[in-house]
Amino acid sequence: MQSTQLEGWYQQFNSLADYYEHFCQRYTNQEAFVQFGSTITYGHVWEIAQKFACFLQQKNIQKGDRVAILLPNCMPYPACIIAAHLVGAVVVNLNPEYTTYELEIRLKDAAPSAIVVLDCFAAKIEEVLKTVKISTAVVVSIGDLLPSWKRIGVQAFLHITRQIPAYQSNLFIKFRSTLLHIDLNKITIEKTDLAFLQYTGGTTGTIKAAMLSHGNLLANLEQTRLLFGDFLKEGQEINVFALPMYHIFSLTVNFLLSMGLGVKHIMIVDPRRLSSLIKDVSRFPITMMIGVNTLFDKLMLHPKFSSLNLAHLKLVVAGGMAVQETVARKWQTLTKVPILEGYGLTETSPVVSMNDLTNHDYNGSIGKPVFATEIKFLDDQHNVVAEGEIGELAVRGPQVMSGYWHQTEETKAVFTEDHYFMTGDMAYRDSQGFLFLKERKKDMIDISGLKVYPSEVEDVLLEQPHVLEAAVIGEKTTSGHEMVVAYVVRDSERLLEQELIHACKKKLTSYKIPKKIYFCDSLPKSNVGKILKRELRNLNGKDKS
């Protein structure tokens, strides 16, 4: 299917800049973002964005230049994205938790003309600036858009608690000092122009940036909006903005899609601070929440979760990682609202598929492809497998990236001749059209030619009492072959390895049974809670404690 089949937002706007202008003016008096008890309207966001865009133009930031953003969820973040797009710049979202080394690699690759950074992370950027030339560096304080008395209080607390490492302030321009006036030269932006460089490990695990155009994002916004129809009411929804905006799933659904519906967002700086999150949420009759399996699971384990009034909650969407059945069923029992699971990738802006709103019972599916999206399942030779069989999921649609930034060979490696994007995920489609993920292709374990899907083994382990988390990988033996091993987090030391091996023997074929189980206090996770199996594989042959 071609992008011309999309209507509505996709046809209405030439760029995200047009999209922002339309909806910020449409909802100009509507509360947009809430943080630390203070609120900013869509009209105020638009005003701040125009002022910052004017500053960027004064600094000679031109169409196609990159603007890097290193911020957690905070009220200046949306305005910075909007401003960059108003001048035709390409936004480079970065994870504030990156080390100096990780930042240096990405910033050398993206070569931004400007960077916006929270003062808590300015010291890291100061170090990077010794080797990476960035002409304009702007420092944001978390309370910059709060009332003055509250801003002063927040900053005082951060300094007292030493959460802002010392940095050379003369290297940075303060964000508040850039918001002087609006004298913007309007830039012509087309759907084919780049909007974001979004860094990802992709399907091959190497660091690279997906090139996402304004058209890619507008298409995915329209595709996602069509899923909800009139279920979400304009100007009436209140969303828990817990996932970090630098993550593509949150960027598209929490920020961009929600803006088009006039949603009020409760901004959560750090979702790992569950007590603070619950306190913030308890103040509002929230109607929607976008999260990941780990967040939902940890919330339900918190002693204060049951005291929340979730009577108005009507939409809960999960992405970023698979939702475990135990988590999905427990959540629905406690909240009476099902977790709507979808699937996407950075390279697809990100939504590829989603379960229907009427599908309230957990089925383990990632739903059906969104509108104007074609899929097929391929073997290693790119031949289509028989219907119902497992193959690598390939996607074609208007939301799919044009390629990887300055990575011609990597781009060729992930596209078929007929321009389907090879996701690296093994999946199949059932007779009703629902898609089911089995595994990342690179995570599959090869036991003398026999394929083991780690998720199948993990499901058995997670069924066992006292198992909190489990991750299964292939570990090289001294002979160079792979064997199945598991990493397990338990809540009782009385749970022994032999018990879990015995449980696996009851349900799994012999070659799928773990040869070794390592107990650990925690599993390595990404910023959105996804288990990092590559870090577990790096432990091969090393101390597992």
Side-chain angles (χ1 to χ4, degrees):
M1 296 182 184
Q2 301 300 315
S3 60
T4 52
Q5 292 181 278
L6 287 172
E7 299 177 356
W9 290 348
Y10 184 77
Q11 294 295 345
Q12 182 178 350
F13 306 110
N14 285 326
S15 69
L16 288 172
D18 294 340
Y19 179 88
Y20 303 138
E21 182 175 10
H22 177 86
F23 287 111
C24 282
Q25 292 181 353
R26 179 169 180 167
Y27 303 119
T28 185
N29 296 318
Q30 175 77 19
E31 294 180 336
F33 300 99
V34 181
Q35 194 153 43
F36 303 123
S38 294
T39 303
I40 185 172
T41 64
Y42 279 97
H44 194 188
V45 171
W46 179 242
E47 179 185 350
I48 296 298
Q50 289 183 94
K51 289 181 177 179
F52 190 55
C54 183
F55 163 80
L56 293 176
Q57 282 190 337
Q58 290 171 348
K59 289 296 181 179
N60 202 32
I61 306 300
Q62 301 179 11
K63 183 177 179 179
D65 288 347
R66 273 76 62 206
V67 173
I69 301 179
L70 190 76
L71 295 174
N73 286 351
C74 59
M75 291 202 287
Y77 201 159
C80 290
I81 291 179
I82 294 171
H85 286 154
L86 287 177
V87 301
V90 182
V91 173
V92 183
N93 286 308
L94 296 170
N95 183 348
E97 294 185 3
Y98 283 151
T99 64
T100 302
Y101 171 76
E102 291 169 321
L103 286 169
E104 184 176 348
I105 291 173
R106 289 159 178 80
L107 290 172
K108 282 183 176 179
D109 181 60
S113 299
I115 186 167
V116 183
V117 58
L118 190 72
D119 51 11
C120 297
F121 312 116
K124 286 197 289 189
I125 294 302
E126 178 187 334
E127 188 67 25
V128 173
L129 290 176
K130 294 177 181 178
T131 56
V132 181
K133 184 179 180 181
I134 302 176
S135 59
T136 301
V138 178
V139 64
V140 170
S141 296
I142 198 76
D144 270 345
L145 297 184
L146 298 176
S148 57
W149 65 271
K150 187 172 290 188
R151 181 180 74 252
I152 293 170
V154 169
Q155 289 306 113
F157 173 78
L158 292 175
H159 281 288
I160 291 171
T161 55
R162 299 185 178 182
Q163 295 185 48
I164 305 178
Y167 64 93
Q168 292 184 23
S169 59
N170 63 304
L171 297 175
F172 299 88
I173 302 168
K174 290 187 177 182
F175 178 69
R176 285 180 58 80
S177 70
T178 69
L179 310 178
L180 299 178
H181 52 82
I182 301 173
D183 186 21
L184 194 63
N185 295 321
K186 192 160 186 178
I187 304 297
T188 300
I189 308 170
E190 306 294 341
K191 288 187 175 73
T192 53
D193 290 326
L194 284 187
F196 294 95
L197 289 184
Q198 202 74 13
Y199 278 92
T200 175
T203 61
T204 59
T206 57
I207 297 169
K208 47 197 172 292
M211 297 188 294
L212 302 179
S213 69
H214 287 261
N216 289 150
L217 271 300
L218 287 170
N220 208 226
L221 290 174
E222 181 66 14
Q223 291 167 320
T224 311
R225 185 187 69 86
L226 289 170
L227 290 169
F228 301 128
D230 296 328
F231 185 73
L232 295 177
K233 305 299 181 183
E234 289 190 49
Q236 298 181 30
E237 309 300 342
I238 302 178
N239 176 40
V240 181
F241 204 138
L243 290 187
M245 191 153 57
Y246 50 79
H247 188 273
I248 186 64
F249 179 52
S250 184
L251 176 73
T252 299
V253 182
N254 264 335
F255 171 43
L256 296 175
L257 177 68
S258 295
M259 172 177 281
L261 296 168
V263 172
K264 179 177 178 178
H265 305 84
I266 314 305
M267 297 289 273
I268 307 298
V269 178
D270 185 355
R272 292 168 298 191
R273 296 174 59 189
L274 293 178
S275 294
S276 177
L277 187 156
I278 290 173
K279 182 179 179 181
D280 288 337
V281 170
S282 66
R283 299 171 180 171
F284 301 93
I286 62 166
T287 64
M288 56 186 291
M289 181 175 182
I290 315 299
V292 293
N293 182 84
T294 308
L295 178 60
F296 298 132
D297 188 29
K298 291 188 179 299
L299 271 175
M300 291 187 291
L301 293 173
H302 196 280
K304 293 185 178 179
F305 178 73
S306 59
S307 65
L308 286 176
N309 177 12
L310 300 176
H312 300 275
L313 187 64
K314 65 180 185 180
L315 178 66
V316 179
V317 179
M321 61 187 299
V323 177
Q324 296 170 349
E325 182 174 0
T326 53
V327 172
R329 295 196 182 282
K330 183 180 178 182
W331 179 272
Q332 187 162 357
T333 298
L334 292 177
T335 68
K336 312 305 178 188
V337 180
I339 296 177
L340 189 68
E341 188 171 5
Y343 166 78
L345 306 99
T346 302
E347 293 88 344
T348 58
S349 305
V351 182
V352 171
S353 65
M354 185 76 73
N355 271 288
D356 189 270
L357 286 168
T358 60
N359 185 22
H360 287 182
D361 191 31
Y362 176 85
N363 62 4
S365 165
I366 55 171
K368 297 179 180 180
V370 295
F371 183 73
T373 300
E374 299 172 279
I375 65 163
K376 56 185 178 180
F377 305 90
L378 307 176
D379 62 19
D380 290 340
Q381 287 73 46
H382 291 187
N383 298 313
V384 177
V385 302
E387 190 66 30
E389 289 190 3
I390 297 171
E392 183 174 355
L393 177 60
V395 179
R396 185 168 68 180
Q399 74 272 46
V400 177
M401 68 170 187
S402 58
Y404 295 117
W405 176 253
H406 293 162
Q407 297 272 4
T408 304
E409 293 305 313
E410 288 283 356
T411 299
K412 287 181 180 179
V414 296
F415 281 101
T416 63
E417 290 183 359
D418 50 354
H419 212 68
Y420 275 80
F421 172 68
M422 304 289 290
T423 66
D425 285 313
M426 305 303 291
Y428 69 94
R429 176 167 43 196
D430 71 7
S431 58
Q432 295 179 296
F434 287 97
L435 309 180
F436 291 82
L437 283 185
K438 291 301 293 182
E439 207 67 53
R440 290 292 292 168
K441 189 175 183 178
K442 63 185 178 184
D443 287 340
M444 286 196 306
I445 304 169
D446 190 323
I447 307 295
S448 301
L450 299 171
K451 302 296 183 184
V452 176
Y453 294 100
S455 58
E456 189 176 8
V457 185
E458 289 162 359
D459 287 344
V460 174
L461 293 171
L462 289 167
E463 291 173 355
Q464 309 312 310
H466 304 297
V467 173
L468 300 178
E469 294 181 308
V472 171
I473 63 169
E475 186 175 284
K476 294 289 185 182
T477 64
T478 53
S479 62
H481 295 98
E482 279 193 305
M483 66 176 180
V484 179
V485 300
Y487 289 81
V488 170
V489 178
R490 57 186 173 177
D491 64 5
S492 172
E493 292 188 0
R494 289 182 294 178
L495 177 64
L496 302 176
E497 178 182 5
Q498 292 84 349
E499 293 178 58
L500 294 180
I501 297 290
H502 181 69
C504 289
K505 286 181 178 180
K506 288 183 176 181
K507 290 194 171 184
L508 300 171
T509 308
S510 58
Y511 68 87
K512 298 179 182 178
I513 298 168
K515 294 293 185 284
K516 180 68 180 175
I517 293 177
Y518 301 111
F519 292 110
C520 48
D521 295 331
S522 63
L523 297 175
K525 297 184 180 70
S526 70
N527 56 293
V528 294
K530 186 184 296 185
I531 294 172
L532 299 174
K533 291 191 176 182
R534 66 176 179 271
E535 292 195 13
L536 295 178
R537 283 191 286 267
N538 288 338
L539 293 175
N540 186 36
K542 301 177 183 178
D543 183 12
K544 305 296 190 302
S545 60

